[in-house]
Amino acid sequence: MPFKDPMPSFRYLLSPLAACVLLSGCLMNSTRALPTGGAPNFWRAVVVYGIGVEGNREAQGLSVHLEQYSLADQAITGGCLFYNRTEASILSAPGQVQYVAFDVPAGSYAYGRINDAPPGKATAFIAPAGHTVYLGDFIYNREKRMELRRDLKTFEQARKQALPDLKDEITLAETQTVAQPRPFLCAP
């Protein structure tokens, strides 16, 4: 029986895998969702925010994305291979605010035009190392616009049920008005 070289089969499998890796972009994200909350370590931070719908929304879902942002460069940090961001989605049905927590690299995170934010400037939230910060509640309101509500007392009332493992002191994140985050395109 003649010997069949296994390498051509391997190459056929390797080529599509390599293409997927090169074309997918934004492969590595060092943020991590904390479904029930958690505490930051010395070099990282925990960010918490709410998402809710009050008015009728035609789309099936509502997502809030925050990108790590360089205040000095006024731009999203990272690129095609490494891009830190938080991503949270809910159904578009009106109801209670749903809270999410993320373990993130310390720094600033921007919410801008990419996310249904009002046109113009964007908001960057500061997440200092070793701290847990509440950004606010991103609400799709009855006027069919996204609105940011920053009421720490309201969050504190919901926190024990929404995020029971979030036990550290939580402060309201400092904000800064920044240039709109510009998306980047990843291509080989």
Side-chain angles (χ1 to χ4, degrees):
M1 184 161 153
F3 174 73
K4 186 173 179 183
D5 181 14
M7 288 308 280
S9 301
F10 179 71
R11 286 187 197 124
Y12 289 123
L13 290 174
L14 189 59
S15 295
L17 179 63
C20 287
V21 167
L22 289 174
L23 296 175
S24 65
C26 309
L27 295 176
M28 297 184 345
N29 179 8
S30 70
T31 67
R32 168 174 76 85
L34 300 171
T36 60
N41 73 24
F42 185 75
W43 299 107
R44 297 177 63 88
V46 170
V47 296
V48 179
Y49 56 90
I51 307 172
V53 175
E54 286 181 344
N56 292 326
R57 183 167 165 86
E58 293 176 18
Q60 287 185 343
L62 175 67
S63 295
V64 172
H65 303 270
L66 294 149
E67 292 91 11
Q68 191 172 20
Y69 191 88
S70 168
L71 295 174
D73 297 334
Q74 294 285 299
I76 295 171
T77 62
C80 292
L81 294 178
F82 194 78
Y83 168 53
N84 289 328
R85 70 240 176 242
T86 68
E87 302 174 38
S89 300
I90 62 169
L91 294 176
S92 288
Q96 285 189 307
V97 173
Q98 295 179 34
Y99 291 97
V100 293
F102 293 90
D103 175 73
V104 299
S108 58
Y109 290 81
Y111 177 80
R113 179 171 35 107
I114 299 167
N115 307 288
D116 275 341
K121 294 288 186 176
T123 300
F125 301 91
I126 313 303
H131 292 271
T132 299
V133 293
Y134 168 67
L135 310 183
D137 295 345
F138 295 90
I139 306 294
Y140 185 81
N141 64 25
R142 288 181 176 86
E143 289 79 36
K144 299 184 179 189
R145 291 181 306 176
M146 286 296 285
E147 176 183 351
L148 177 62
R149 297 178 186 162
R150 303 191 69 208
D151 186 349
L152 188 58
K153 287 184 181 183
T154 299
F155 168 69
E156 286 290 354
Q157 293 171 354
R159 130 183 181 179
K160 287 184 176 124
Q161 186 172 10
L163 299 166
D165 293 334
L166 197 63
K167 305 212 185 310
D168 285 352
E169 177 188 358
I170 298 169
T171 58
L172 191 61
E174 290 182 40
T175 62
Q176 189 169 341
T177 301
V178 296
Q180 279 286 356
R182 290 184 304 275
F184 50 85
L185 177 63
C186 296

